[in-house]
Amino acid sequence: MKNLLYRIAYPILKLGWFIFRPRTRGVKILIFDLKGRVLMVRHNYGRGYWTFPGGGVRKGEDEATAAIREIDEELGMKLIKVELLGVYQSNFEYKRDTVSVFKAVVKDVVVTKDDAEIAEVSWFNLNELPQYLSPRVQTMIDFVYEKNK
Protein backbone atom coordinates (compact mmCIF):
# COMPACT_ATOMS: atom_id res chain seq x y z
CA MET A 1 0.00 0.00 0.00
CA LYS A 2 2.77 2.43 0.96
CA ASN A 3 4.53 1.53 -2.29
CA LEU A 4 1.42 2.57 -4.24
CA LEU A 5 1.31 5.89 -2.39
CA TYR A 6 4.89 6.65 -3.43
CA ARG A 7 4.04 5.90 -7.06
CA ILE A 8 0.94 8.11 -6.98
CA ALA A 9 2.41 10.97 -4.94
CA TYR A 10 5.66 11.26 -6.91
CA PRO A 11 4.13 12.60 -10.17
CA ILE A 12 1.98 15.04 -8.16
CA LEU A 13 5.03 16.29 -6.27
CA LYS A 14 6.94 16.61 -9.52
CA LEU A 15 4.16 18.78 -10.99
CA GLY A 16 4.34 21.03 -7.92
CA TRP A 17 8.12 21.27 -8.28
CA PHE A 18 7.67 22.25 -11.95
CA ILE A 19 5.23 25.02 -11.06
CA PHE A 20 6.91 26.41 -7.93
CA ARG A 21 10.62 25.53 -8.47
CA PRO A 22 11.31 25.20 -4.71
CA ARG A 23 14.71 25.54 -3.09
CA THR A 24 15.50 22.30 -1.33
CA ARG A 25 18.40 20.66 0.47
CA GLY A 26 19.25 17.01 0.05
CA VAL A 27 21.87 14.45 0.93
CA LYS A 28 23.41 11.48 -0.81
CA ILE A 29 25.59 8.96 0.98
CA LEU A 30 28.23 6.72 -0.54
CA ILE A 31 28.40 3.77 1.85
CA PHE A 32 31.47 1.60 1.41
CA ASP A 33 32.06 -1.82 2.92
CA LEU A 34 35.48 -3.07 4.04
CA LYS A 35 36.04 -4.64 0.58
CA GLY A 36 35.71 -1.21 -1.07
CA ARG A 37 32.29 -1.88 -2.60
CA VAL A 38 29.69 0.88 -2.63
CA LEU A 39 25.98 0.49 -1.88
CA MET A 40 23.49 1.59 -4.53
CA VAL A 41 19.69 1.63 -4.63
CA ARG A 42 16.88 1.77 -7.14
CA HIS A 43 13.70 3.51 -5.97
CA ASN A 44 10.16 2.32 -6.63
CA TYR A 45 9.27 5.77 -7.95
CA GLY A 46 10.84 8.03 -10.56
CA ARG A 47 12.83 6.72 -13.48
CA GLY A 48 14.27 3.66 -11.77
CA TYR A 49 17.87 4.80 -12.00
CA TRP A 50 20.55 3.21 -9.84
CA THR A 51 21.83 5.86 -7.45
CA PHE A 52 23.27 6.32 -4.01
CA PRO A 53 20.85 6.40 -1.08
CA GLY A 54 19.82 9.71 0.40
CA GLY A 55 16.92 12.07 0.80
CA GLY A 56 15.77 15.45 1.97
CA VAL A 57 17.02 17.60 4.82
CA ARG A 58 14.27 18.58 7.23
CA LYS A 59 13.79 22.12 8.49
CA GLY A 60 16.20 22.76 11.37
CA GLU A 61 18.23 19.62 10.59
CA ASP A 62 21.87 19.70 9.56
CA GLU A 63 22.99 17.72 6.54
CA ALA A 64 25.09 15.11 8.42
CA THR A 65 22.16 14.32 10.73
CA ALA A 66 19.86 14.02 7.70
CA ALA A 67 22.28 11.60 6.04
CA ILE A 68 22.39 9.35 9.09
CA ARG A 69 18.59 9.50 9.50
CA GLU A 70 17.86 8.72 5.84
CA ILE A 71 20.10 5.63 5.85
CA ASP A 72 18.42 4.37 9.00
CA GLU A 73 14.92 4.94 7.56
CA GLU A 74 15.54 3.55 4.08
CA LEU A 75 18.08 0.79 4.73
CA GLY A 76 17.98 0.03 8.45
CA MET A 77 21.70 0.75 8.77
CA LYS A 78 23.02 2.62 11.80
CA LEU A 79 25.76 4.97 10.66
CA ILE A 80 27.85 6.50 13.42
CA LYS A 81 29.91 8.95 11.40
CA VAL A 82 29.70 10.43 7.93
CA GLU A 83 32.35 12.45 6.11
CA LEU A 84 31.40 15.31 3.79
CA LEU A 85 32.85 14.78 0.31
CA GLY A 86 31.37 17.74 -1.51
CA VAL A 87 28.29 19.73 -2.47
CA TYR A 88 26.64 20.22 -5.84
CA GLN A 89 23.65 22.14 -7.20
CA SER A 90 20.95 20.38 -9.15
CA ASN A 91 17.78 21.37 -10.98
CA PHE A 92 16.84 17.76 -11.69
CA GLU A 93 13.08 17.31 -11.36
CA TYR A 94 12.63 21.11 -11.40
CA LYS A 95 13.78 21.73 -7.81
CA ARG A 96 16.66 24.08 -7.04
CA ASP A 97 18.42 21.54 -4.90
CA THR A 98 21.66 21.84 -2.93
CA VAL A 99 22.93 18.30 -2.40
CA SER A 100 25.58 17.45 0.20
CA VAL A 101 27.42 14.21 -0.58
CA PHE A 102 28.75 12.12 2.29
CA LYS A 103 30.86 9.00 2.67
CA ALA A 104 30.58 6.31 5.32
CA VAL A 105 32.40 3.01 5.80
CA VAL A 106 30.61 0.08 7.42
CA LYS A 107 31.69 -3.31 8.72
CA ASP A 108 28.18 -4.74 8.75
CA VAL A 109 26.77 -5.03 5.22
CA VAL A 110 23.31 -6.23 6.29
CA VAL A 111 20.58 -4.07 4.82
CA THR A 112 16.90 -4.00 5.77
CA LYS A 113 15.39 -1.94 2.99
CA ASP A 114 12.16 0.00 3.14
CA ASP A 115 10.21 -1.99 0.52
CA ALA A 116 7.79 0.87 -0.06
CA GLU A 117 10.52 3.24 -1.21
CA ILE A 118 13.40 1.02 -2.33
CA ALA A 119 12.95 -1.51 -5.14
CA GLU A 120 16.47 -2.93 -5.12
CA VAL A 121 19.73 -2.64 -3.17
CA SER A 122 23.13 -4.00 -4.12
CA TRP A 123 26.85 -3.60 -3.48
CA PHE A 124 29.11 -2.74 -6.45
CA ASN A 125 32.77 -2.15 -7.15
CA LEU A 126 33.28 1.44 -8.34
CA ASN A 127 34.74 0.17 -11.61
CA GLU A 128 31.80 -2.24 -12.17
CA LEU A 129 28.68 -0.13 -11.63
CA PRO A 130 25.34 -1.23 -13.10
CA GLN A 131 23.81 0.24 -16.21
CA TYR A 132 21.07 2.86 -16.05
CA LEU A 133 22.72 5.20 -13.56
CA SER A 134 21.30 8.47 -12.30
CA PRO A 135 22.86 11.41 -14.18
CA ARG A 136 24.64 12.68 -11.03
CA VAL A 137 26.32 9.40 -10.01
CA GLN A 138 29.58 10.34 -11.75
CA THR A 139 29.61 13.75 -10.04
CA MET A 140 29.39 12.00 -6.67
CA ILE A 141 32.07 9.44 -7.55
CA ASP A 142 34.37 12.27 -8.64
CA PHE A 143 34.13 13.69 -5.11
CA VAL A 144 35.56 10.40 -3.79
CA TYR A 145 38.55 10.56 -6.13
CA GLU A 146 39.14 14.26 -5.40
CA LYS A 147 39.11 13.56 -1.65
CA ASN A 148 41.63 10.72 -2.07
CA LYS A 149 44.19 12.84 -3.98
Side-chain angles (χ1 to χ4, degrees), residues 27-29 31 54 61-83 102-104:
V27 293
K28 288 288 189 176
I29 306 90
I31 303 171
E61 184 177 48
D62 68 76
E63 285 78 2
T65 301
I68 291 167
R69 175 186 49 76
E70 284 288 342
I71 296 306
D72 184 32
E73 289 175 359
E74 293 181 7
L75 301 171
M77 300 177 85
K78 306 291 186 204
L79 301 180
I80 305 299
K81 179 183 164 193
V82 293
E83 172 190 357
F102 292 89
K103 174 185 174 183

Side-chain angles (χ1 to χ4, degrees), residues 41-146:
V41 300
R42 272 189 339 95
H43 291 98
N44 284 319
Y45 54 84
R47 296 181 178 161
Y49 290 132
W50 280 99
T51 189
F52 300 112
V57 179
R58 295 177 179 163
K59 187 174 184 168
E61 184 177 48
D62 68 76
E63 285 78 2
T65 301
I68 291 167
R69 175 186 49 76
E70 284 288 342
I71 296 306
D72 184 32
E73 289 175 359
E74 293 181 7
L75 301 171
M77 300 177 85
K78 306 291 186 204
L79 301 180
I80 305 299
K81 179 183 164 193
V82 293
E83 172 190 357
L84 181 65
L85 295 176
V87 178
Y88 69 87
Q89 303 295 317
S90 174
N91 60 4
F92 185 65
E93 298 179 326
Y94 313 110
K95 298 178 284 183
R96 295 174 292 173
D97 202 11
T98 300
V99 181
S100 298
V101 180
F102 292 89
K103 174 185 174 183
V105 179
V106 296
K107 288 188 259 184
D108 186 2
V109 296
V110 175
V111 175
T112 307
K113 72 180 178 77
D114 175 355
D115 291 330
E117 189 169 355
I118 307 294
E120 196 171 355
V121 177
S122 193
W123 294 92
F124 297 97
N125 291 316
L126 276 180
N127 59 350
E128 297 174 355
L129 295 178
Q131 293 184 356
Y132 206 56
L133 296 174
S134 172
R136 289 297 189 158
V137 164
Q138 190 59 53
T139 299
M140 293 180 269
I141 290 171
D142 290 346
F143 286 146
V144 173
Y145 291 123
E146 289 170 15

